Amino acid sequence: MAGERGGRIGRGIPAVLVVFGVFAMWLLTAPAASAAQAPTCRVGTYLSDLYDLDPAKHTFSARLTLWSVCPTRALDPLPTASFGNSNDPEKGEPTLTSEGGGFRDVTQVQGVFRQHWDVRAFPFDRHRITIKINSPRNHDAFRFTPDNKNSAANRDIAPPGWRLTGFRLREVARHYPTNFGDPTLPTGAGTTHSRLLIEMDLERSDPTIFWKLTGPLYLMLLIATATFLLPSHSEELGMAERLDTLQSRLALLGGGLFVVMLNLQQVNDTIASTAGLTLIDWLHLLTLVYVLLAVVATVLCWRWTVHGGDPAQAERFHHRGALLGLVGYALVAGAMVGCAAWTG
């Protein structure tokens, strides 16, 4: 009987260890779980207007209504909040009310906001522009609570050439590598503050601008290709006439290079990008490569003709090279456009 009792005790030891393990884990996590949450206010906004979108200057302008709902007036973040990407936004007179046991602050804000614009996929580029609102209090002393349920954007917002496709509020922790001279905080550890992000998604609404900027390239490309498809080895043509034909082709290709460079200058005036080459830039470079290859082919044909080469063979080379070059150009350009449209 003692052996049976000992067996029951032996079987119960693992269960006791499991219970003690769970209890120990609860003791370790209980302080974090039961720690008081930082004071918070519900903050929302109504975006009434969005205008002067300027990727060249990396700015945009907005007009919005901000509100906060707090347990007490002392917790209201709007009077002391700063805008992280605006120099000096205009603020209207606040409307202060006490409703439903809470304190509500409503104010109008209008200003110019800084924003990095990546237009490398122009005109298929999509952007997320942001208004950043910073709390002066430490993250442990105050946190924003986004009021997405009541926040909205004006449905009539339609910046020229753009479409508003998304709108949301998000709270993030912003860490600074300084304690701003606060003696209660450790030196060198930095401090963290709550930041409210008002995010707006935009995409281009006028794709015809793509054809306006690239149309001259394709027209010149087709004309240059057509010159290689014309017959040039007729027996009635003498050496001088054949060389004149090649000289005219070189003149046309030289004019094509001028057209590409002039059109590229117009593109640079329309699109100002500091983040590398845009899709339109790459298409211009591809066209320049095509024209330069055509010039090389024409010069080689000239030398072939002067040294007594067979004109019929040169013409076959021209026809095949022109068709292969046109197909290759279309495939590479199509891949560039498709990649830009897919990734935005």
Side-chain angles (χ1 to χ4, degrees):
M1 188 169 180
E4 183 180 350
R5 184 181 304 162
R8 287 198 299 266
I9 294 175
R11 289 192 298 270
I13 290 177
V16 172
L17 292 177
V18 170
V19 172
F20 272 104
V22 172
F23 182 70
M25 291 295 295
W26 179 82
L27 288 177
L28 290 175
T29 59
S34 61
Q37 294 293 326
T40 183
C41 292
R42 286 190 298 109
V43 179
T45 185
Y46 174 72
L47 181 68
S48 56
D49 200 5
L50 185 64
Y51 57 98
D52 289 347
L53 277 64
D54 195 342
K57 296 181 179 179
H58 295 284
T59 60
F60 68 92
S61 298
R63 185 182 298 112
L64 59 153
T65 302
L66 279 173
W67 67 81
S68 65
V69 180
C70 305
T72 62
R73 181 171 182 174
L75 202 60
D76 182 15
L78 296 188
T80 56
S82 63
F83 291 81
N85 58 333
S86 181
N87 293 334
D88 190 18
E90 300 177 10
K91 294 183 180 181
E93 289 296 326
T95 302
L96 309 176
T97 58
S98 296
E99 300 169 353
F103 176 80
R104 186 165 68 101
D105 183 358
V106 182
T107 186
Q108 308 287 329
V109 178
Q110 178 178 344
V112 178
F113 300 90
R114 297 182 298 275
Q115 175 69 40
H116 172 68
W117 299 78
D118 186 351
V119 295
R120 286 177 293 179
F122 177 91
F124 305 104
D125 48 324
R126 293 183 288 270
H127 303 272
R128 176 168 294 173
I129 61 177
T130 306
I131 297 175
K132 304 172 183 178
I133 304 176
N134 300 324
S135 169
R137 300 188 183 101
N138 190 278
H139 197 253
D140 295 331
F142 175 82
R143 296 183 188 181
F144 290 107
T145 296
D147 189 5
N148 278 297
K149 183 178 180 181
N150 297 303
S151 298
N154 184 4
R155 295 183 179 180
D156 295 329
I157 289 178
W162 297 91
R163 182 187 301 111
L164 183 65
T165 59
F167 180 80
R168 74 191 63 81
L169 276 65
R170 188 162 58 92
E171 190 271 344
V172 297
R174 175 72 168 91
H175 182 74
Y176 299 91
T178 175
N179 63 2
F180 298 100
D182 188 345
T184 64
L185 298 175
T187 302
T191 182
T192 302
H193 294 245
S194 181
R195 167 178 281 183
L196 183 70
L197 302 180
I198 303 174
E199 298 178 334
M200 296 151 281
D201 295 333
L202 294 169
E203 65 180 22
R204 302 270 181 181
S205 62
D206 184 17
T208 59
I209 192 173
F210 174 76
W211 301 109
K212 294 177 182 177
L213 295 177
T214 59
L217 297 182
Y218 304 141
L219 181 60
M220 187 278 302
L221 185 74
L222 293 176
I223 294 175
T225 303
T227 62
F228 282 85
L229 300 178
L230 295 175
S232 60
H233 76 284
S234 175
E235 296 179 358
E236 291 79 8
L237 295 177
M239 176 67 71
E241 289 83 358
R242 291 170 181 167
L243 294 179
D244 286 342
T245 301
L246 296 177
Q247 184 176 1
S248 299
R249 182 185 297 165
L250 281 176
L252 178 63
L253 293 174
L257 290 174
F258 177 76
V259 169
V260 174
M261 297 306 299
L262 187 64
N263 199 68
L264 182 58
Q265 182 62 43
Q266 180 182 356
V267 169
N268 290 332
D269 293 338
T270 304
I271 313 169
S273 174
T274 58
L277 297 175
T278 67
L279 168 65
I280 307 297
D281 293 333
W282 281 110
L283 290 175
H284 278 77
L285 291 176
L286 178 64
T287 307
L288 285 175
V289 171
Y290 182 91
V291 175
L292 290 175
L293 289 177
V295 169
V296 172
T298 303
V299 171
L300 292 177
C301 180
W302 187 307
R303 292 178 58 85
W304 174 274
T305 303
V306 169
H307 289 84
D310 184 7
Q313 185 176 355
E315 183 172 309
R316 288 194 297 270
F317 171 76
H318 283 171
H319 291 178
R320 293 173 183 174
L323 292 175
L324 289 176
L326 188 61
V327 171
Y329 181 96
L331 291 176
V332 175
M336 289 181 178
V337 174
C339 182
W342 178 261
T343 60

